[in-house]
Amino acid sequence: MKYLSICSISFVNLILVSISCFFLSLNFLLNDMVYFIEWEVVSLNSISIVMTFLFDWMSLLFMSFVLMIASLVIYYSKEYMSSDININRFIMLVLMFVMSMMLLIISPNLVSILLGWDGLGLVSYCLVIYFQNIKSYNAGMLTALSNRIGDVALLLAIAWMLNYGSWNYIFYLEIMQNEFEMMIIGSLVMLAAMTKSAQIPFSSWLPAAMAAPTPVSALVHSSTLVTAGVYLLIRFNILLSNSWMGQVLLLLSGLTMFMAGLGANFEFDLKKIIALSTLSQLGLMMSILSMGFYKLAMFHLLTHALFKALLFMCAGAIIHNMNNSQDIRLMGGLSIHMPLTSACFNVSNLALCGMPFLAGFYSKDLILEIVSISNINMFSFFLYFFSTGLTVCYSFRLVYYSMTGELNCSSLNMLNDEGWVMLRGMLGLLIMSIIGGSMLNWLIFPTPDMICLPVYMKMLTLFVCVIGGFMGYLISLSNLYSINKSYNFYNLSNFMGSMWFMPYISTYGIIYFPLNYGQIICKSFDQGWSEYFGGQYLYKKLVNYSQILLLIHNNSLKIYLMLFVLWIFILFSFLMIL
């Protein structure tokens, strides 16, 4: 019997745990239950160290989705990473990542959340630098250091929670809502969530993290790691509503959504486009959460995880077949060469755009209609709807570039749709991307919301989507754009395409002055004055003294006599004093 690979074992185990978590979450949801499990690790005199776990419908449902996506991604990796010698190490890293995520999801305690949170950061760094080259190292460093800011914020929040009886924040959120300490803890947690979910000004690490293998991008940078921040804020959502924190978060996440949508329209790297699209959707989740609708944020988080993981898996299959080329300008006509992959790709793209009755539609349309009836200013309203239009725009641009027209790469190619292991992994998510939205909608909101709006407001979402799709068609028309028109306004397109210069600001911008200052200090202190009065000075003096001593040691008679006279003189001086 052929031995079982680690991929198959992990796949079966994870999918079974995922299904059981799903049915448990249904039970908890329908019966409105919350289980709070305390495990006493150490009890010494009056000290008890207790590990607490919180099981409610939210944690169980999120856990089931993470496990399901992880299982399919590991199954998919079996073929995608088949030529890799260290595939076992890769799968182990992914499993460690999933374990950290589980710990984060079920912890109502800031200390155990920090354990899971740091586990995520560390494993994610190891996965980003998995392909060992300079670009990966730089990306990994940027990822790790950006996330360190959030880790430090969490540590500070833990320190501030010493004001209360324990670190189980869930007990204190409501009762201490208006306390100064709670506000500080809330703002620190918000900072941590913003670094992990790559909101402005920490956005530059998410597209850089695309240096990781594609299965990692599908699991880590679309559905789990980046949504950990959103999940944490969902737990802390009481602190956001009716406070300045919610307003700040609304502005920053709205700008993130807008910036990522604009950037994706100027990008030519397939994985970076999808990464920017993830960033845009994270902005949407954060902004609706900052307005106080935490259930909607959770709903969009889950549906987005489904279709975005599928989108990344399709992109991986395309890159795999294009001989590891990621440039969308070299693609074209893929719908002929890779029909099944293209079908999955198009379904996930349409779900992202909010095509009626796919997964994304239920959450996105509901969010936009809730925004329409909310008491919200014009600027935020514009950001929501314009960003939705931009989402459809870059999705259609991507489809036109990759699916239609002629193949633009070499005529000797290996394009085929025969990777059945990858396809099976994708088809599992395809089914979820189609039925997931409606299923979750019926579960989370058992009574449908009645949103009464004028007809032009009701149609606004659809109208914005259609206009966006049309714009996407226009900017990818090759006969209209045989010479790239973005060169006409090069500075603007450079600004938009490089995420408002954020990658430069968060690398060179931060490091320039410290390095410059360090160089000045090094030149004037280490290699300047301290050298002059330190090592070199000592060396010169020692040389001088040793030269003088050498004179004496050469046994010259006149020096000997002179010293004798000197000695007599000193002796007499002493005698005179005495």
Side-chain angles (χ1 to χ4, degrees):
M1 177 187 165
K2 197 166 181 288
Y3 64 91
L4 280 170
S5 69
I6 187 172
C7 300
S8 313
I9 299 166
S10 310
F11 167 70
V12 172
N13 281 325
L14 289 179
I15 201 86
L16 288 174
V17 179
S18 165
I19 291 167
S20 51
C21 277
F22 182 71
F23 285 112
L24 265 175
S25 79
L26 291 194
N27 185 19
F28 278 50
L29 187 63
L30 297 175
N31 298 323
D32 203 16
M33 291 194 301
V34 176
Y35 275 10
F36 209 92
I37 297 175
E38 289 201 337
W39 167 46
E40 199 167 50
V41 187
V42 175
S43 179
L44 186 68
N45 299 336
S46 64
I47 302 169
S48 67
I49 297 176
V50 181
M51 187 86 182
T52 44
F53 298 120
L54 174 74
F55 292 99
D56 60 350
W57 68 268
M58 235 183 252
S59 59
L60 282 165
L61 197 57
F62 191 28
M63 214 152 61
S64 116
F65 272 60
V66 169
L67 287 165
M68 185 196 72
I69 292 168
S71 65
L72 289 168
V73 162
I74 285 174
Y75 186 71
Y76 169 95
S77 307
K78 186 176 177 180
E79 183 175 347
Y80 190 86
M81 304 293 282
S82 56
S83 54
D84 189 0
I85 305 165
N86 304 315
I87 184 163
N88 286 6
R89 183 174 68 187
F90 176 76
I91 301 297
M92 286 293 185
L93 278 170
V94 173
L95 288 173
M96 277 166 64
F97 175 82
V98 174
M99 291 309 128
S100 300
M101 197 69 202
M102 298 298 102
L103 183 61
L104 180 92
I105 291 171
I106 59 175
S107 300
N109 184 314
L110 269 186
V111 179
S112 48
I113 275 185
L114 185 76
L115 280 174
W117 193 267
D118 261 349
L120 288 180
L122 199 60
V123 177
S124 130
Y125 174 71
C126 294
L127 286 168
V128 170
I129 62 165
Y130 187 79
F131 293 140
Q132 294 172 7
N133 53 47
I134 291 292
K135 191 179 171 224
S136 294
Y137 290 150
N138 287 338
M141 213 63 214
L142 181 59
T143 305
L145 291 179
S146 298
N147 284 328
R148 283 322 285 165
I149 301 169
D151 300 343
V152 171
L154 265 187
L155 277 168
L156 286 172
I158 286 173
W160 272 96
M161 277 212 76
L162 288 168
N163 292 304
Y164 302 128
S166 82
W167 280 301
N168 291 0
Y169 63 85
I170 255 163
F171 298 148
Y172 305 109
L173 282 182
E174 273 186 86
I175 197 162
M176 297 288 188
Q177 196 175 348
N178 301 320
E179 297 280 321
F180 175 68
E181 287 90 351
M182 210 61 198
M183 189 194 79
I184 288 189
I185 292 166
S187 47
L188 285 167
V189 167
M190 191 177 94
L191 177 65
M194 279 169 61
T195 56
K196 198 59 102 182
S197 294
Q199 301 300 297
I200 284 175
F202 310 108
S203 306
S204 58
W205 70 263
L206 187 58
M210 290 300 114
T214 310
V216 173
S217 302
L219 175 67
V220 178
H221 302 122
S222 68
S223 44
T224 51
L225 173 88
V226 287
T227 52
V230 182
Y231 180 78
L232 191 61
L233 277 187
I234 287 173
R235 289 280 181 221
F236 276 86
N237 75 305
I238 298 170
L239 298 181
L240 290 178
S241 49
N242 307 322
S243 79
W244 61 270
M245 285 186 274
Q247 294 170 341
V248 170
L249 190 63
L250 178 61
L251 173 68
L252 288 176
S253 49
L255 283 174
T256 306
M257 181 163 57
F258 180 60
M259 179 268 305
L262 268 179
N265 278 305
F266 287 94
E267 189 57 66
F268 287 107
D269 184 320
L270 177 61
K271 279 178 78 174
K272 274 198 179 158
I273 291 175
I274 304 176
L276 287 166
S277 131
T278 304
L279 196 49
S280 178
Q281 299 307 305
L282 282 169
L284 182 64
M285 288 171 220
M286 283 285 208
S287 47
I288 196 68
L289 176 58
S290 64
M291 288 166 65
F293 300 100
Y294 71 98
K295 276 191 173 177
L296 284 181
M298 188 72 195
F299 182 24
H300 191 57
L301 191 154
L302 295 172
T303 54
H304 168 258
L306 293 171
F307 59 75
K308 193 50 66 75
L310 175 61
L311 197 55
F312 263 117
M313 283 158 97
C314 297
I318 291 169
I319 291 166
H320 197 62
N321 275 333
M322 291 277 299
N323 208 357
N324 302 327
S325 155
Q326 296 184 15
D327 198 322
I328 59 169
R329 286 168 293 194
L330 300 179
M331 298 170 195
L334 290 179
S335 51
I336 299 161
H337 299 283
M338 305 168 68
L340 255 176
T341 307
S342 299
C344 295
F345 190 77
N346 285 335
V347 166
S348 54
N349 247 331
L350 287 171
L352 169 65
C353 295
M355 167 92 180
F357 315 118
L358 292 179
F361 165 75
Y362 288 93
S363 56
K364 221 170 174 182
D365 201 63
L366 193 53
I367 285 174
L368 289 172
E369 292 196 347
I370 291 281
V371 167
S372 301
I373 59 167
S374 294
N375 188 9
I376 188 177
N377 62 26
M378 197 65 207
F379 181 63
S380 298
F381 185 81
F382 164 78
L383 285 180
Y384 270 110
F385 280 89
F386 198 73
S387 305
T388 306
L390 286 172
T391 301
V392 184
C393 184
Y394 63 69
S395 299
F396 273 68
R397 169 178 177 265
L398 186 57
V399 168
Y400 283 124
Y401 261 102
S402 56
M403 296 295 146
T404 59
E406 293 298 317
L407 192 63
N408 293 321
C409 68
S410 63
S411 45
L412 177 66
N413 56 53
M414 299 285 193
L415 285 176
N416 65 354
D417 218 6
E418 300 295 320
W420 284 110
V421 174
M422 288 203 284
L423 277 172
R424 275 198 289 266
M426 276 146 59
L427 289 172
L429 272 177
L430 177 74
I431 294 163
M432 287 305 291
S433 292
I434 294 169
I435 66 166
S438 50
M439 177 187 74
L440 284 170
N441 197 14
W442 292 324
L443 291 174
I444 299 176
F445 308 109
T447 51
D449 286 335
M450 167 62 195
I451 301 173
C452 185
L453 285 168
V455 68
Y456 63 89
M457 291 288 274
K458 237 357 181 185
M459 300 304 288
L460 182 63
T461 316
L462 184 65
F463 180 67
V464 161
C465 289
V466 170
I467 292 286
F470 185 62
M471 282 301 294
Y473 170 65
L474 283 183
I475 61 174
S476 55
L477 257 178
S478 54
N479 55 0
L480 192 65
Y481 278 79
S482 51
I483 299 166
N484 198 338
K485 294 290 187 295
S486 63
Y487 289 129
N488 296 348
F489 43 100
Y490 180 75
N491 287 339
L492 183 67
S493 61
N494 191 19
F495 173 67
M496 299 295 185
S498 62
M499 296 173 65
W500 298 355
F501 299 141
M502 216 170 294
Y504 303 116
I505 293 166
S506 55
T507 48
Y508 305 128
I510 291 172
I511 207 66
Y512 176 76
F513 291 105
L515 273 181
N516 212 1
Y517 191 54
Q519 185 197 9
I520 293 165
I521 287 175
C522 184
K523 278 186 83 69
S524 55
F525 284 92
D526 276 16
Q527 293 166 4
W529 288 109
S530 69
E531 194 71 26
Y532 185 75
F533 282 122
Q536 289 295 326
Y537 185 76
L538 198 64
Y539 168 71
K540 278 178 184 166
K541 286 298 166 199
L542 283 171
V543 166
N544 287 345
Y545 291 145
S546 57
Q547 280 173 346
I548 292 164
L549 282 172
L550 200 65
L551 266 175
I552 298 163
H553 290 163
N554 275 344
N555 292 334
S556 173
L557 191 65
K558 54 187 176 188
I559 289 170
Y560 176 72
L561 285 171
M562 198 178 84
L563 283 175
F564 183 70
V565 170
L566 195 66
W567 163 242
I568 296 290
F569 177 71
I570 290 166
L571 202 62
F572 268 105
S573 310
F574 268 108
L575 287 171
M576 295 293 284
I577 291 163
L578 289 168

